[in-house]
Amino acid sequence: MADSTPEDRDEASTPDDTATADATSSVGEPGSVGAKSSGDEPRSGDEPTSDDDAQAASAAATALDADLDGQADDAADADDSDSDDADSDDFETHHSPALIATAVALPVVLIVAVLVAAFIALRAPVEREPLALGPVPAPAADGPACQALLPALPAELGDYTKATLVEPAPPATRAWQLPDGGDPITLRCGLDRPLEFNRASPLTVIDGVKWFQVRDEAGKTGTWFAVDRETYIALTVPDGSGTSAVQTVSDTINANLPAREPTPGEL
């Protein structure tokens, strides 16, 4: 068997070394299959997960629901507006101008009615207590002159109206009071000649009747005596009542009793 030379040994080892180098080059070369497989593998941070898909689907559903709710609210608002317009049209259609005018005028009529009722109530006479008058000597109270005069006296003397007297009332006597009471106007017929009436007494003629006045400063009244008739007639009026009472009674006396000359007392 021939011994191998160094060259033969080199040639024998060359295929193995070449194969080994090729394998090493294949592993380290960027264009190799192994390198491409490792570079194309996706990274964990870039790959979408199932949780991301669920969140995206939930957000889309929420947005859809919100959009649908907004459309429903808009439709409801439109329906309400249409309903209000329809109600307004119905009101204007079913309420005629005459009905509206009546509704406006009715409160005014009620207010006027209340005011009128209040005015009537204020003007209505108050229920007064019967008036008590003390007796005064009147010897001719039952005479023809008083019997003719008393029925002719009016029921009103200015603002004063006829008063009811407490029984037994003095004969041939009348009285008038204000609606709310107060000091009365009184008339007495058939009296004696007043003591103060004498030849020096001043007389006042009112509507054809001669009067002699006596003042009561304490009582704040004035008593007028008719002194030119068949009998003496006294008319007492409170201060501030005016002259209408004396004038009205003068007219009644002059119309029902004949005049005569006064007969005053001595000085």
Side-chain angles (χ1 to χ4, degrees):
M1 179 175 204
D3 293 331
S4 63
T5 65
E7 289 83 359
D8 294 335
R9 288 195 296 268
D10 292 335
E11 292 175 0
S13 63
T14 298
D16 293 337
D17 294 339
T18 302
T20 302
D22 292 339
T24 302
S25 177
S26 174
V27 172
E29 186 179 353
S32 64
V33 174
K36 181 178 182 180
S37 173
S38 175
D40 293 342
E41 182 179 357
R43 291 173 295 178
S44 61
D46 297 334
E47 181 182 358
T49 63
S50 60
D51 291 339
D52 294 336
D53 294 340
Q55 291 178 359
S58 176
T62 301
L64 180 60
D65 291 341
D67 186 44
L68 293 176
D69 291 341
Q71 293 178 1
D73 292 339
D74 293 340
D77 293 340
D79 291 341
D80 292 340
S81 178
D82 293 341
S83 178
D84 293 340
D85 293 340
D87 292 341
S88 177
D89 293 340
D90 290 342
F91 179 84
E92 294 178 357
T93 301
H94 296 301
H95 293 74
S96 64
L99 184 59
I100 295 175
T102 302
V104 172
L106 184 59
V108 178
V109 173
L110 292 177
I111 293 173
V112 173
V114 170
L115 294 177
V116 171
F119 178 78
I120 293 175
L122 292 175
R123 295 289 297 176
V126 178
E127 189 67 25
R128 297 173 303 211
E129 295 292 332
L131 184 64
L133 295 178
V136 173
D142 295 331
C146 293
Q147 293 180 358
L149 177 63
L150 265 66
L153 292 172
E156 296 182 358
L157 294 177
D159 294 332
Y160 289 72
T161 58
K162 185 178 179 180
T164 301
L165 302 180
V166 174
E167 297 294 341
T173 303
R174 292 287 184 274
W176 297 262
Q177 277 184 302
L178 290 171
D180 57 351
D183 295 333
I185 296 174
T186 59
L187 182 142
R188 299 175 186 269
C189 184
L191 304 180
D192 288 329
R193 182 176 62 197
L195 297 175
E196 299 87 349
F197 179 52
N198 55 54
R199 296 186 181 197
S201 299
L203 300 179
T204 302
V205 179
I206 301 175
D207 292 343
V209 179
K210 295 178 180 179
W211 295 92
F212 165 65
Q213 184 185 25
V214 177
R215 287 284 307 163
D216 182 0
E217 298 298 340
K220 295 183 178 181
T221 60
T223 298
W224 297 79
F225 291 91
V227 296
D228 62 345
R229 306 295 150 159
E230 179 183 341
T231 187
Y232 290 96
I233 303 164
L235 181 68
T236 302
V237 296
D239 290 352
S241 60
T243 61
S244 62
V246 179
Q247 292 172 344
T248 301
V249 172
S250 296
D251 292 338
T252 305
I253 291 174
N254 202 36
N256 292 274
L257 300 178
R260 71 176 189 179
E261 285 299 318
T263 56
E266 297 295 330
L267 292 176

